[in-house]
């Protein structure tokens, strides 16, 4: 019986042993790493992990080595190519005050197939992606994705992502794409953009610099485009650099009660030989939000969004900014103005009467108008968010809100139009709405069901008084 109880007694003693206390007694003891053994690497190159583990050899005490091992573990797991990384310190081969580090790795499978459905604005889409993880052993991710939308959107992308390029704490992303978007329901045109983009971003995602080169074609498949949209059709070259800076301190993404967040996007297009076919503009887009706790389960959030689009070179001489790069207002998401239709606020132009009838419209019905977007816009929102009494709703993050939402959108400087007149129109044409609803936060954004009432509108706006359903993608 005593022999049978011995293993159980040893296990109990091991569980009761104070490992942390023992480590603290030896934390300042002199120690250095004499060698590092790598176990379990199959596709991954040794020099990739050795670069992260090299810091362990700089430690001169057991505590310094422990801290370096924890930092190396976090960096290796952040590469997203390992299911597990274990670092074990054993007695050194040279004895004395040396130790050996045994690093054991379990690599992720190379092939992964993903499929999902998404909602962006008023369009649902289905995406299928084939991902290769670490195929060449340098922690690269290769992705081939295809996306089809309910409104004729089709996107094909081949992307290669590489962490720590040239040993720098950055993330490099190279992609080739063909982006097809159908804007006929709002502006009577379809867009196809073929090209590529290179992005360098910081590891924390706060900073990103990208360069995009592509050929953009706008067409009028339904032959219903207004005169303003007809002037935008054709082929253009997009050569642009973009810088994105973001940050946030919210205590909760789903239901923030304190903190702030912001996102700034600056884009300069026209980095090519001057030509009428080259798009030339400067675009600035800003988003900000602050949250304030006012009681248990209740918070006030203040949100603001603004944008400015300025043409230069050939775009300025021809008197217009490209419609695909303008700002739009209405609905939820980017350029949100609840109580109005998606892209239902701002400058518009009547569609061609004959083409409207030939594309399926009724000859006796009023002709629809094309949303033209604007060069200067602002959206403001104040919302009181509160937890709902039902525990089942609180457990999944569903909460209520009451809000006031306002915004303005105008076209900018052009032939016969000064900055002063544009600014005056901007300040005197604000639209306002109020409402209440429920919000369901998800991993890909927030779903909203609101009851809205429009307080102020302008001619040709498209109000949506009553129930309105929308999707708000994450901004931070």
């Amino acid at each position: 019986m005593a022999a049978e109880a011995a293993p159980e007694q040893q296990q109990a003693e091991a569980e009761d042993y104070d490992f942390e206390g023992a480590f603290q007694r030896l934390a300042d003891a002199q120690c250095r790493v004499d060698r590092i053994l790598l176990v379990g690497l199959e596709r991954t190159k040794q020099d990739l992990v050795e670069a992260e583990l090299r810091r362990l050899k700089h430690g001169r005490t057991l505590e310094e080595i422990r801290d370096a091992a924890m930092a190396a573990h976090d960096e290796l797991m952040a590469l997203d190519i390992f299911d597990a990384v274990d670092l074990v310190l054993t007695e050194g081969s040279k004895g004395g005050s040396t130790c050996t580090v045994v690093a054991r790795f379990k690599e992720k499978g190379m092939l992964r197939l993903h499929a999902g459905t998404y909602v962006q604005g008023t369009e649902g889409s289905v995406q299928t992606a084939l991902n290769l993880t670490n195929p060449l052993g340098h922690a690269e991710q290769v992705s081939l994705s295809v996306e089809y939308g309910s409104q004729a959107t089709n996107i094909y992308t081949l992307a290669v992502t590489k962490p720590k390029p040239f040993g720098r704490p950055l993330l490099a992303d190279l992609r080739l794409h063909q982006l097809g978007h159908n804007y006929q329901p709002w502006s009577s045109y379809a867009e196809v953009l073929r090209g590529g983009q290179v992005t360098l971003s910081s590891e924390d995602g706060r900073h990103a610099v990208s360069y995009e080169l592509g050929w953009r074609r706008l067409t009028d498949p339904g032959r219903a485009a207004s005169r303003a949209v007809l002037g935008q059709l054709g082929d253009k070259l997009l050569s642009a650099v973009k810088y994105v800076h973001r940050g946030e301190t919210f205590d909760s993404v789903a239901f923030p009660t304190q903190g702030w967040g912001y996102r700034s996007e600056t884009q300069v297009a026209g980095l090519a030989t001057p030509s009428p076919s080259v798009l030339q503009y400067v675009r600035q887009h800003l988003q900000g939000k602050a949250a304030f706790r006012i009681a248990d389960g209740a918070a006030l959030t203040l949100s603001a969004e603004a944008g400015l689009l300025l043409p230069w070179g050939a775009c300025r001489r021809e008197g217009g900014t490209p419609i695909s790069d303008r700002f739009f207002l209405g609905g939820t998401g980017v350029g949100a103005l609840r109580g109005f239709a998606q892209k239902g606020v701002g400058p518009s132009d009547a569609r061609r009467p004959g083409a409207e009838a030939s594309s399926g419209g009724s000859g006796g019905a009023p002709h629809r108008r094309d949303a033209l977007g604007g060069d200067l816009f602002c959206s403001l929102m104040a919302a009181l968010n509160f937890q709902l009494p039902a525990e089942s709703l609180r457990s999944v993050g569903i909460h209520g809100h009451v809000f006031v939402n306002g915004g303005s959108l105008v076209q900018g400087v052009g032939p016969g139009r000064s900055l002063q007149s544009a600014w005056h129109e901007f300040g005197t044409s604000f639209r306002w709405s109020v409402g209440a609803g429920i919000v369901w936060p998800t991993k890909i954004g927030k779903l909203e069901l609101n009851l809205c009432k429009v307080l102020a509108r302008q001619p040709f706006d498209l109000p949506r008084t009553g129930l309105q359903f929308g999707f708000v993608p994450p901004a931070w």
Side-chain angles (χ1 to χ4, degrees):
M1 295 293 294
E4 295 179 358
E8 297 178 359
Q9 182 178 359
Q10 292 175 359
Q11 181 179 357
E13 291 176 353
E15 292 177 352
D16 294 337
Y17 186 76
D18 185 8
F19 288 97
E20 184 64 27
F23 175 82
Q24 292 299 327
R25 291 191 295 271
L26 298 174
D28 295 329
Q30 294 294 314
C31 186
R32 61 182 179 84
V33 175
D34 64 348
R35 62 175 179 166
I36 300 175
L37 303 180
L38 307 180
V39 181
L41 295 182
E42 297 179 3
R43 301 188 308 274
T44 307
K45 304 298 183 183
Q46 288 192 14
D47 56 353
L48 179 72
V49 298
E50 287 173 350
E52 301 297 338
L53 297 175
R54 194 173 296 125
R55 71 187 74 192
L56 274 70
K57 292 194 173 184
H58 297 160
R60 290 296 176 263
T61 65
L62 192 59
E63 184 174 30
E64 290 179 358
I65 295 174
R66 190 275 307 268
D67 293 343
M70 293 177 63
H73 176 272
D74 292 342
E75 292 290 340
L76 289 169
M77 291 300 295
L79 295 176
D80 198 27
I81 60 175
F82 300 113
D83 282 328
V85 176
D86 294 322
L87 302 179
V88 180
L89 274 65
T90 63
E91 183 178 358
S93 59
K94 299 179 181 179
S97 59
T98 64
C99 68
T100 295
V101 176
V102 181
R104 296 186 175 91
F105 302 90
K106 182 180 179 182
E107 296 180 341
K108 288 187 174 182
M110 183 172 68
L111 186 64
R112 186 172 73 249
L113 184 64
H114 169 79
T117 59
Y118 305 91
V119 176
Q120 178 68 37
T122 61
E123 183 178 19
S125 61
V126 177
Q127 183 187 65
T128 301
L130 177 66
N131 298 307
L132 298 178
T133 298
N134 197 26
L136 302 179
H138 297 285
E140 63 281 326
Q141 303 277 351
V142 182
S143 174
L144 176 63
S145 64
V146 179
E147 180 179 343
Y148 290 100
S150 59
Q151 296 172 356
T153 292
N154 54 83
I155 299 175
Y156 307 91
T157 304
L158 174 62
V160 180
T161 304
K162 173 70 170 69
K164 299 185 182 299
F166 313 110
R168 302 292 183 180
L170 300 169
L171 181 66
D173 181 89
L174 170 64
R175 59 187 57 218
L176 302 175
H177 52 234
Q178 176 177 298
L179 312 178
H181 296 284
N182 177 26
Y183 299 112
Q184 292 185 82
W186 305 281
S187 304
S188 296
Y189 76 92
E191 173 188 350
V192 175
L193 176 64
R194 298 182 178 93
Q197 180 172 297
V198 180
T199 303
L200 281 178
S201 57
S202 59
E203 291 183 322
D204 59 7
R206 296 189 60 186
H207 304 269
V209 178
S210 63
Y211 172 73
E212 182 176 10
L213 178 64
W215 192 261
R216 175 190 290 172
R217 172 172 292 179
L218 304 187
T219 59
D220 175 21
R223 295 180 298 168
S226 61
R227 293 185 180 275
V229 174
L230 285 175
Q232 296 275 339
L233 303 183
D235 295 339
K236 295 288 184 179
L237 177 68
L238 175 64
S239 175
V241 63
K242 180 191 299 183
Y243 171 65
V244 177
H245 183 212
R246 73 185 79 192
E248 60 93 10
T249 63
F250 293 121
D251 57 346
S252 169
V253 177
F255 189 85
T257 59
Q258 61 181 9
W260 49 263
Y262 69 91
R263 185 181 187 277
S264 171
E265 178 182 302
T266 305
Q267 185 180 29
V268 179
L271 307 181
T273 303
S275 168
S277 63
V278 177
L279 296 172
Q280 296 175 304
Y281 61 83
V282 177
R283 190 177 191 271
Q284 178 67 53
H285 185 206
L286 299 170
Q287 293 173 278
K289 182 177 180 179
F292 307 90
R293 180 181 178 274
I294 58 176
D296 290 337
L300 173 68
T301 57
L302 303 177
S303 306
E305 185 179 0
L308 177 64
L309 180 64
L310 295 175
W312 64 279
C315 282
R316 184 176 180 87
R317 290 192 300 270
E318 294 176 3
T321 52
I323 189 172
S324 293
D325 300 295
R326 292 175 185 166
F327 302 100
F328 290 85
L329 191 61
T332 57
V334 179
L337 187 52
R338 293 157 182 82
F340 292 85
Q342 191 82 12
K343 301 186 179 181
V345 174
S348 63
D349 192 17
R351 295 182 176 180
R352 287 175 289 169
E356 181 79 14
S358 65
S359 60
S362 172
H367 304 309
R368 297 175 59 188
R369 301 179 66 85
D370 284 334
L372 302 180
D375 306 324
L376 176 63
F377 101 103
C378 176
S379 175
L380 306 171
M381 180 175 175
L384 176 61
N385 304 281
F386 53 89
Q387 298 285 3
L388 298 174
E391 176 60 31
S392 59
L393 297 178
R394 293 199 301 269
S395 63
V396 294
I398 296 178
H399 59 273
H401 71 167
V402 293
F403 62 85
V404 56
N405 206 171
S408 182
L409 173 72
V410 300
Q411 291 184 338
V413 179
R417 181 177 174 85
S418 65
L419 179 61
Q420 290 77 8
S421 62
W423 185 255
H424 179 266
E425 180 185 353
F426 175 78
T428 57
S429 61
F430 264 78
R431 289 80 160 171
W432 294 96
S433 65
V434 295
I438 57 175
V439 182
W440 185 5
T442 69
K443 293 181 179 180
I444 61 173
K446 296 181 179 181
L447 299 174
E448 292 187 6
L449 180 61
N450 298 315
L451 182 63
C452 306
K453 179 177 177 58
V454 174
L455 301 181
R457 53 171 291 190
Q458 297 293 325
F460 303 120
D461 288 345
L462 300 177
R464 289 291 183 266
T465 298
L467 284 176
Q468 185 180 41
F469 178 78
F471 174 76
V472 182
W476 327 114

